[in-house]
Amino acid sequence: MFKIRKSKDEEPTAPGQGKIKKRSRVPGVMITQFVEELPEGMSTPDFTRKPIALTIQEGKLAIFRAIVTGKPTPTVTWVRNNGEIDERFKIFFESSSGEHQLQIPDVSVDQADTYKCFAENEYGKAIVTAALNIIEVGYKKSRAMQQSRTGTQVDMDAKEDAKPQIDDAFWDLLMSADKKDYESICGEYGITDFRGMLKKLNEKKIEREQEQEKVVERLCNLKPIELKASGAAEFELEMALKDPTSKIFLYKDGIMIPFDADTEVKHGLKQVGKKFVFSINGVNPEDAGLYQVEVDGVKIFSTDLKLPSVDFLVKIQDVTAEEREDAVFECVVSQPLKKITWMGKNIALEQGDKFDITVSEDMLIHTLVVKDCMLLDKGIYAAVAGLKSCSAWLIVEADNDPNARGKKKTFSLNLPAPKDCSFETPPSFSVPLKTHNSPESYECYMSCAVTGNPRPHVTWYRNNISLNTNTNYYITNTCGVCSMVILKVGPKDSGDYTVIAENPLGRVECSTKLVVKGKNSFTVFFGTSYGLTL
C-alpha cells in the first residue's frame, strides 16, 4: 500500500498511545513504536532496503527504491522536504519483489530536495531520508529555466560578479583532497554551485600543475592529516624533486613554522626515499589549522587539521562475553560527529568481517561490535574523538558448554539506563545548547544534555510552538542527550528555539536564537537561559 501526503502533515497519534524509540538494523532508519507491548505475531515497520542519496543529471530518470517489513503490512508514504509530490512524480509497487519506488521522470533542478519515506502501521512507524542532487546540463538551458521560472531576463554576468569571493584556502584544500571529500569541504565553505566549482577547480588544477612541474618531477599518494593514537598528527606525500637541493617549507595558516628531521620535536619531517611524512607531536587545540607544504615557493600540498570540541557524555563500559558471542561497545558524544576512531590494543579498527562500526542518525551514538569473540580478542578497546578518549576492557571467557561449542551467539549491550538513585533531583542542563554554523539548504544540528531523577520529559519549541510531533524535525533523546536535526535549513526555520525539561521536582529551560541569512551565509545568535520552577 502507498499514498501521497503533503510534507507539512503531522503524524497522528491515537489517544493513550505512548511513543517508544527503537533501533533498526539498517543504519539511518528511525523507528517509533506506538504501543508499550506488541501483540504476539505483530511487529513495527522497518526497512530491509532503504532509499539512498542520488546524484542525477538533469533530464534523466531518478528512482528511489525501498523494501519494508512489518505486520500488519505497513502503508508506505513518500514526502519531500520543500514542496509536494505532484503529478510529475510516479509511485509504483512491485508485488513480486516487494519494492516500493518513487520515480521522477525527466528530473529538473527544482526537484533537488531531501525526500522522506514513511512506513506505518497501527503499531508504529519507520522513517528514512535520502537526498536528490541534480547536475545541471549546459549554460543556455540553465539560463532559460531561470527565465521561465521568474519571468525576467537573468543577467548571468552580473550574477557572477555579485558572487562573494571564495577563500583561497578552499581551492588549496580541494586540489589536495580526494573526490569523495569534495562535498564536505563545499559544505564547510558554503559552496552550493557544484558544477561551477568543478569547472573552476579544473582550471586551477591545470595552473597549479604547471607551477609544480618547475620544481617536482612526480607527486602522488597525498594523504591528509590525521590524529594518531599516540596523540600526534601526521600527513604524508610522495614526491621526486627536480633539484635535490630545493628547499622545503611548512606553513600553518599562512605562517612559516620550523621543522626538524628529529621526529621527537614539535614539528618533524621523516623522509624515506621519495616519501615525506610530516608530524605534529603533542597535539593541542592551538595546533588546529591549515597546513601547507611548499617547495621553492610553489604550493605542493594543503591539509586541514580539525579538532572538534567534543566530549563523551556516556563512555564505553567494560564488556564480558563468552567465546563466539558478539560484544558491543557504545558511547554518546556531546555533539554530532560523522565518525570517531575506534582502537583495539592500540591499533585503529576498520569496518570489516571482524568489526561493525556504526553511528546513529543524529550522529551522537557511536557503536563498535566485535563479532564472533575469540580468546585472543580480549584486551583494552578505546573510542577517540578529537583530543578526548575513553577506554574499557573486553573480557572473553571460555565456553565450557559442549553442546554450544562452535555455535554462533549474540551478546547485546544497550546504553546504560539512568541509575535508580535513592534520592530525587530536579532537571538541569549539564550541556546547554550551543552555536552552530551551516549555510542555507544544509543540515543543522542542535543538542544538549539533561540530568534529573525521575528522568525529565523533554519538549522542543520554536517560537513557543511544540516541535515534538513535527516530522520536519528529527528529535531524539538518548541517555539524556537531546538532539534535533533540521534536514534542510531555510528561512522558515528562523526563530527562537527552546528546550524544556521537567519532572515532578521542577522545570528548566535552555534557548537559542536561529537566524538564517541567504544561500551563502548562516548566523546563529546564541543565548542560554535557565528557569527552574520547584
Side-chain angles (χ1 to χ4, degrees):
M1 294 183 291
F2 58 82
K3 62 181 180 180
I4 300 174
R5 183 176 62 210
K6 295 182 179 180
S7 61
K8 299 298 180 184
D9 286 351
E10 294 186 355
E11 287 300 297
T13 303
Q17 286 184 332
K19 290 189 176 182
I20 303 172
K21 300 294 183 182
K22 295 178 63 178
R23 182 172 300 176
S24 170
R25 293 183 179 180
V26 179
V29 176
M30 294 186 296
I31 301 176
T32 302
Q33 183 173 309
F34 294 153
V35 295
E36 291 187 4
E37 293 186 8
L38 289 170
E40 185 176 354
M42 299 294 106
S43 63
T44 55
D46 198 357
F47 287 82
T48 57
R49 175 177 180 176
K50 67 175 185 178
I52 61 173
L54 300 175
T55 299
I56 300 291
Q57 183 175 312
E58 187 179 5
K60 301 291 185 180
L61 171 65
I63 304 178
F64 287 112
R65 307 173 190 271
I67 298 178
V68 302
T69 60
K71 192 171 182 181
T73 303
T75 298
V76 173
T77 307
W78 297 91
V79 172
R80 58 180 298 188
N81 204 44
N82 292 309
E84 297 184 5
I85 305 294
D86 53 30
E87 65 278 357
R88 294 180 297 169
F89 298 80
K90 296 182 179 180
I91 295 177
F92 288 98
F93 173 68
E94 293 186 359
S95 57
S96 58
S97 62
E99 184 178 83
H100 295 264
Q101 296 183 6
L102 175 64
Q103 297 187 6
I104 314 174
D106 193 22
V107 68
S108 59
V109 176
D110 65 339
Q111 291 173 312
D113 203 344
T114 298
Y115 290 79
K116 305 174 190 176
C117 185
F118 294 80
E120 183 174 349
N121 63 18
E122 60 187 281
Y123 300 111
K125 68 177 179 181
I127 308 173
V128 67
T129 66
L132 174 61
N133 301 305
I134 308 299
I135 301 173
E136 294 186 56
V137 288
Y139 168 82
K140 292 181 179 179
K141 184 173 182 179
S142 175
R143 179 173 61 180
M145 292 182 68
Q146 292 185 50
Q147 292 172 358
S148 66
R149 291 172 195 150
T150 62
T152 59
Q153 286 292 116
V154 180
D155 187 345
M156 297 300 287
D157 294 332
K159 186 176 178 180
E160 195 72 26
D161 294 338
K163 287 184 178 180
Q165 292 296 316
I166 300 174
D167 193 335
D168 288 340
F170 169 75
W171 300 111
D172 290 336
L173 283 173
L174 279 183
M175 283 187 277
S176 299
D178 193 281
K179 289 183 179 179
K180 64 181 176 62
D181 298 322
Y182 285 0
E183 184 176 353
S184 61
I185 296 174
C186 286
E188 180 184 346
Y189 284 84
I191 306 301
T192 56
D193 181 8
F194 296 106
R195 184 172 178 272
M197 177 275 293
L198 290 173
K199 180 180 178 181
K200 189 72 172 177
L201 178 62
N202 288 332
E203 294 173 357
K204 286 186 171 289
K205 276 188 173 181
I206 293 173
E207 294 175 3
R208 180 63 57 84
E209 289 170 358
Q210 290 173 348
E211 293 178 1
Q212 292 175 345
E213 287 175 357
K214 299 174 183 178
V215 293
V216 297
E217 293 180 347
R218 182 170 175 268
L219 180 65
C220 61
N221 295 332
L222 308 176
K223 295 185 179 180
I225 197 165
E226 62 177 16
L227 284 169
K228 301 294 183 181
S230 61
E234 290 183 356
F235 64 94
E236 63 182 65
L237 65 153
E238 290 185 22
M239 65 178 175
L241 299 174
K242 282 194 171 183
D243 182 358
T245 62
S246 293
K247 293 184 178 180
I248 300 175
F249 300 92
L250 179 63
Y251 292 83
K252 176 183 176 290
D253 295 330
I255 301 174
M256 188 170 65
I257 54 177
F259 61 90
D260 197 281
D262 181 4
T263 56
E264 299 300 320
V265 299
K266 181 64 178 178
H267 300 98
L269 169 61
K270 180 181 179 182
Q271 181 181 357
V272 180
K274 298 177 182 178
K275 182 178 180 180
F276 295 79
V277 180
F278 293 84
S279 60
I280 305 165
N281 295 297
V283 172
N284 55 57
E286 291 74 28
D287 292 319
L290 179 66
Y291 288 82
Q292 294 177 304
V293 176
E294 291 189 5
V295 175
D296 289 344
V298 177
K299 290 181 180 178
I300 301 297
F301 183 55
S302 301
T303 184
D304 199 9
L305 175 59
K306 295 184 182 297
L307 300 174
S309 177
V310 67
D311 205 350
F312 287 93
L313 299 180
V314 177
K315 299 181 179 181
I316 61 174
Q317 305 293 318
D318 292 343
V319 176
T320 300
E322 289 188 358
E323 285 184 278
R324 306 308 306 277
E325 284 183 337
D326 291 349
V328 182
F329 292 99
E330 286 186 315
C331 61
V332 180
V333 293
S334 59
Q335 69 177 45
L337 289 177
K338 290 183 178 180
K339 181 181 179 182
I340 67 172
T341 301
W342 288 96
M343 309 290 296
K345 303 176 185 178
N346 292 323
I347 298 174
L349 307 179
E350 299 291 341
Q351 173 72 32
D353 294 337
K354 186 63 182 176
F355 303 104
D356 265 343
I357 298 175
T358 58
V359 59
S360 63
E361 180 74 12
D362 57 13
M363 292 189 281
L364 294 174
I365 305 172
H366 295 259
T367 305
L368 168 70
V369 180
V370 184
K371 295 184 284 189
D372 199 13
C373 287
M374 307 300 289
L375 292 175
L376 55 83
D377 293 322
K378 66 181 180 181
I380 296 178
Y381 289 76
V384 182
L387 298 178
K388 301 287 185 176
S389 65
C390 58
S391 59
W393 276 92
L394 171 59
I395 302 170
V396 182
E397 299 177 341
D399 184 4
N400 297 318
D401 182 0
N403 296 323
R405 193 164 295 162
K407 296 180 180 179
K408 185 81 169 62
K409 303 177 182 179
T410 301
F411 175 81
S412 177
L413 174 67
N414 293 321
L415 286 169
K419 295 181 179 179
D420 184 16
C421 303
S422 58
F423 57 90
E424 297 181 337
T425 59
S428 65
F429 287 95
S430 56
V431 179
L433 290 170
K434 295 182 180 179
T435 184
H436 300 271
N437 294 301
S438 174
E440 183 182 342
S441 298
Y442 280 75
E443 291 184 354
C444 175
Y445 294 85
M446 297 183 188
S447 64
C448 58
V450 181
T451 59
N453 188 42
R455 181 178 179 180
H457 174 73
V458 176
T459 308
W460 287 79
Y461 293 87
R462 180 172 67 84
N463 297 337
N464 298 319
I465 299 175
S466 174
L467 301 175
N468 280 31
T469 58
N470 191 326
T471 56
N472 291 312
Y473 300 86
Y474 284 170
I475 295 173
T476 58
N477 183 358
T478 305
C479 297
V481 180
C482 309
S483 66
M484 181 181 71
V485 182
I486 307 174
L487 288 174
K488 195 170 183 180
V489 174
K492 63 182 178 61
D493 297 308
S494 296
D496 297 314
Y497 287 81
T498 303
V499 178
I500 296 179
E502 49 191 338
N503 67 11
L505 298 183
R507 176 179 182 273
V508 67
E509 67 179 56
C510 178
S511 62
T512 187
K513 186 176 182 64
L514 174 62
V515 178
V516 181
K517 293 185 176 180
K519 276 280 186 183
N520 292 309
S521 62
F522 179 99
T523 306
V524 179
F525 298 100
F526 166 65
T528 304
S529 62
Y530 298 91
L532 180 60
T533 306
L534 299 177

